[in-house]
Amino acid sequence: MFIDEVKVEVVAGNGGNGCLAFRREKYIEMGGPFGGNGGRGGNVVFEVDEGLNTLIDLRFSKKYKAKNGEHGQGKGMHGKNASDLIVKVPPGTVVTDLETNFILGDLTKKGDRLIVAEGGRGGRGNMAFVTRTNPAPDFAENGEPGEEKKLKVELKLLADVGLVGMPSVGKSTIISDISAAKPKIAAYHFTTLHPNLGVTRTRDGRSFVVADLPGLIEGASLGEGLGDKFLKHIERTRVIAHVIDMSGFEGRNPYDDYVTINKELESFNAKITDKPQIILANKMDMESAKSNLEEFRKKVTNVPIYEISALENKGLEDVLVALADQLDKIEKVPLYEEEKFESHVLYKFKEEQPFKVYKESEGVYVIKGEEIEKIYQMTWFVTDEAFLRFSNKLRKLGIDDKLKEMGIQNGDTVKILDYEFEYRE
């Protein structure tokens, strides 16, 4: 089954908790803190596997969760880091964060790896907080929560040449003639239900990849027929080969077919029409093909036209050489501009104030913000010193001043996530 788009949820592992422990051994006076750090949580990593050509595995497993890091232990023992969760994807996979709509990565080559969700760092044990002024800290950290993301994963085929055209113009026959691909071929529309890839070789030894894309019809870019599902696979191709039924066997005008296909490509993505094109005038073995080609040449003068008969396997060798010559001149360029990748926009929209405070009801205030919520989640509220440390962090962030500005009174309730505490100045 060919699956080229799925939505999945990825959850990285939480960091292990730090340990709160003290050294209590016979004959060792004033042993001091002895709690180790927690281990790092596992990342969720997408990795290219050239043996895959569909996203079917992701369709049937919609959630990927990495393991948590091990907790720290007494006697200064640190927790073990969790191993990464590796998810295999085919070359040509594009990963987009559904929340931000930014691209996390475009995986095209063997061995390409992308961390789609980072594991949380391990919490520090009380050994890590020893200072000259606090030689016996009575607190430790919880592990940092791992990232959680909802992703759109798309497969955009890696082909050098894309065969496009109306249904039943001979694209599948062409790719079966020039490569080892064996698509289903029959005399009815939409025989081809998914793209077919074939590696072809010219008579002078050059090779490249050709994609046979399911037949387009008018309105394909708006969802008509099958075209809207597969137009995206044309975006990576470096040359577009229009296959035209020059015989007009089905009552369509060859030139009208050519114009219709170009309109659909432009409607889907205007940049596609900037790609080099050639025209394969197919079914030249049939009556009326010659006269139709003469009329076609009068209207199309700026695109190379090659006469072929896919049924009789005539003219295809010259076409392959011409395509290889064009590909030799065209540099491979990235599919997306750098500005669309998340790594280039991480800090553009970061708010100056790392938190928001609002009044939920009379006497109840709610604090929200990624930074403050992470501080809360990593605080282990088991000792007075831990609570005091948490309060000091809130004060340094300016939350106390904001609450006072909003008119908070002693005894009012302050909420952070699922935690409530009583405000005292």
Side-chain angles (χ1 to χ4, degrees), residues 350-361:
K350 190 172 181 180
E351 296 177 343
E352 292 182 5
Q353 195 176 54
F355 62 86
K356 290 181 180 179
V357 181
Y358 65 90
K359 195 171 184 178
E360 186 178 63
S361 59

Side-chain angles (χ1 to χ4, degrees), residues 3-7 55 59 152-155 232:
I3 303 296
D4 61 0
E5 183 174 325
V6 294
K7 292 180 181 177
L55 298 172
R59 179 177 181 178
K152 180 173 72 171
V153 186
E154 294 178 281
L155 173 61
K232 60 187 169 189

Side-chain angles (χ1 to χ4, degrees), residues 179-228:
S179 74
K182 299 300 177 188
K184 183 179 179 181
I185 300 171
Y188 54 85
H189 287 186
F190 303 120
T191 308
T192 305
L193 297 178
H194 59 80
N196 292 294
L197 283 180
V199 179
T200 187
R201 187 177 297 275
T202 64
R203 54 181 173 241
D204 56 5
R206 291 175 290 175
S207 64
F208 53 89
V209 179
V210 180
D212 155 31
L213 300 165
L216 304 178
I217 61 173
E218 188 171 3
S221 59
L222 302 176
E224 298 292 334
L226 301 176
D228 66 313

Side-chain angles (χ1 to χ4, degrees), residues 206 238 276 322-332:
R206 291 175 290 175
R238 293 190 284 157
L323 286 170
D325 289 342
Q326 276 197 304
L327 292 170
D328 287 343
K329 301 173 186 176
I330 302 171
E331 182 181 356
K332 290 186 178 181

Side-chain angles (χ1 to χ4, degrees), residues 201-266:
R201 187 177 297 275
T202 64
R203 54 181 173 241
D204 56 5
R206 291 175 290 175
S207 64
F208 53 89
V209 179
V210 180
D212 155 31
L213 300 165
L216 304 178
I217 61 173
E218 188 171 3
S221 59
L222 302 176
E224 298 292 334
L226 301 176
D228 66 313
K229 295 181 180 179
F230 304 117
L231 276 167
K232 60 187 169 189
H233 296 296
I234 304 174
E235 290 183 294
R236 287 196 195 275
T237 59
R238 293 190 284 157
V239 176
I240 294 175
H242 285 265
V243 183
I244 307 290
D245 178 0
M246 204 54 67
S247 71
F249 176 74
E250 297 196 3
R252 297 193 309 264
N253 182 283
Y255 179 72
D256 290 343
D257 282 1
Y258 175 69
V259 172
T260 298
I261 296 300
N262 270 326
K263 283 183 178 179
E264 294 307 320
L265 296 179
E266 185 176 11

Side-chain angles (χ1 to χ4, degrees), residues 18-68:
C19 179
L20 175 59
F22 291 89
R23 190 169 187 175
R24 295 181 176 90
E25 297 177 52
K26 196 174 182 180
Y27 307 122
I28 298 180
E29 188 179 1
M30 305 292 287
F34 215 22
N37 300 336
R40 180 187 61 81
N43 302 319
V44 181
V45 180
F46 282 7
E47 183 177 78
V48 169
D49 182 343
E50 288 188 314
L52 300 176
N53 55 18
T54 175
L55 298 172
I56 189 169
D57 291 342
L58 275 69
R59 179 177 181 178
F60 294 111
S61 183
K62 292 294 185 71
K63 187 170 183 177
Y64 294 87
K65 188 177 189 315
K67 292 183 178 180
N68 298 332

Side-chain angles (χ1 to χ4, degrees), residues 92-106:
T93 297
V94 180
V95 185
T96 304
D97 188 326
L98 286 172
E99 184 179 349
T100 64
N101 210 31
F102 288 119
I103 296 167
L104 299 182
D106 185 9

